[in-house]
Amino acid sequence: MESLVAERPVTAEGEAAALQGLIAYLKQRNYQFITPTPATHARVLARADRQRATDLRDIFGWSLPFARDLLDASLMRALEAAGLIEGAGGLLRSKVRVSTLGPDLLVHSAYPTDDIHAVFFGPDSYRFARFIADELKRCPEREGSRLVDIGTGAGAGAIAAAHCCEAVDIVMTDINPAALRLARVNAQAAGVAARFVQGEDLTGIAGALDLVLANPPYIIDPAGRAYRDGGDLHGAGVALAMACEAVPRLAQGGRFLLYTGSAIVRGADALHDRLVQLAAAQGCRLRYEEIDPDVFGEELETAAYADVERIALVTAVVERVRT
């Protein structure tokens, strides 16, 4: 198997140690938190009784301000030393959230995720992980296969895949160094061995690929936040670019697993049509499914979506046919 190139160290030692300690602390206390959409999060925090944390879920799930004595003193010192706690109007606030994904706890950015370098985790992460698990239970990867999670974010996709197919060579990539730092922490906490490459494409990875995972952004974001802005094609541009790069790199029998959204214009799905063309040109099979017909309907009120009927959630599996 060819070696990786351009691998870079991306983890700040103090931050990683503090976050590993946080995950261990929360696991010991049976912490669980399912992260909702930002809109739902905002609605919950708007309630009169949700202005100040009273427990660990409030601190590390709902991102509420908290009093110092609400958290274990040694853990507080470690988080403060790592720069993971900030002031909040006389109280304190965690800069990270921790969410449950199956048997694991994953660290990601605190609410609200307004910063351009925010590391997002939410309902799409859960659907992406379920899509991967269903596909790999149907057809597991062989031992020694190379798996790449493009734009890994907090690492949910690669971690979900690792639980379904052991003894594969896992690589997580992201353009955002903050994402790679958190993905490394999350992978280690989940017992998943992986390598980490910073970059916006696959140029840092050599050789053919057996399994490529992608959960790209699919909404046009005026702020240009990398975790949210899907580019042209009404937000499907990043997804298509990932497919165009990954599919030609697939080994015999290799698969590209894509979870994203696609804008439907006058009944037409441009992403589907482009993937059909790509699969045919590359001698691959395509399985494409619309799994939710209507999400982010509020986006249709913006000028960028003036001609869009709806935004659908879709999954695609592009598989290179064995010869």
Side-chain angles (χ1 to χ4, degrees), residues 239-249 256 274-275 278 282:
L240 181 61
M242 288 181 173
C244 288
E245 184 182 19
V247 171
R249 297 278 305 274
F256 173 63
R274 301 289 185 89
L275 290 177
L278 174 64
Q282 291 292 323

Side-chain angles (χ1 to χ4, degrees), residues 219-222 231 233-235 263 265 299-308:
I219 298 296
I220 299 172
D221 181 27
L233 282 181
H234 292 98
V265 180
E299 297 295 329
L300 272 59
E301 298 175 5
T302 67
Y305 288 90
D307 56 344
V308 172

Side-chain angles (χ1 to χ4, degrees), residues 31 57 83 88 106 109 113 119 160 163 200 212 221 228 242 309:
Y31 172 95
R57 293 180 76 253
L106 273 64
S109 295
T113 50
V119 182
H163 290 325
E200 60 183 344
V212 182
D221 181 27
R228 181 174 169 84
M242 288 181 173
E309 296 176 349

Side-chain angles (χ1 to χ4, degrees), residues 4-5 24 30 65 75 80 85 124 140 163 167 169 214 219 226 231 246 259-260 266 290 292 296 301-303 310 316:
L4 292 171
V5 297
N30 297 315
L75 178 61
E80 286 184 314
I85 299 292
D124 280 326
H163 290 325
D169 180 27
I219 298 296
Y259 167 93
T260 191
R266 300 187 65 83
E290 189 175 296
D292 192 325
F296 290 106
E301 298 175 5
T302 67
R310 57 189 177 89

Side-chain angles (χ1 to χ4, degrees), residues 119-141:
V119 182
F120 184 76
F121 183 99
D124 280 326
S125 307
Y126 295 108
R127 287 185 286 252
F128 183 43
R130 186 177 303 113
F131 164 52
I132 291 168
D134 289 346
E135 177 66 19
L136 294 183
K137 287 174 183 176
R138 185 188 69 82
C139 184
E141 280 297 313

Side-chain angles (χ1 to χ4, degrees), residues 50-97:
R50 302 311 300 271
Q51 302 306 303
R52 178 171 172 162
T54 60
D55 58 20
L56 292 173
R57 293 180 76 253
D58 285 347
I59 297 173
F60 297 111
W62 292 110
S63 296
L64 284 170
F66 64 97
R68 178 175 294 272
D69 60 4
L70 195 58
L71 199 58
D72 175 82
S74 60
L75 178 61
M76 173 69 78
R77 286 193 296 271
L79 294 175
E80 286 184 314
L84 296 170
I85 299 292
E86 62 185 1
L91 297 173
L92 301 170
R93 183 174 178 272
S94 171
K95 292 184 178 181
V96 296
R97 274 183 291 179

Side-chain angles (χ1 to χ4, degrees), residues 223-280:
R225 290 168 290 184
Y227 75 87
R228 181 174 169 84
D229 190 3
D232 59 8
L233 282 181
H234 292 98
V238 172
L240 181 61
M242 288 181 173
C244 288
E245 184 182 19
V247 171
R249 297 278 305 274
L250 293 176
Q252 292 293 310
R255 288 173 288 177
F256 173 63
L257 272 56
L258 172 68
Y259 167 93
T260 191
S262 186
I264 309 301
V265 180
R266 300 187 65 83
D269 182 343
L271 178 61
H272 170 264
D273 295 344
R274 301 289 185 89
L275 290 177
V276 167
Q277 296 170 10
L278 174 64

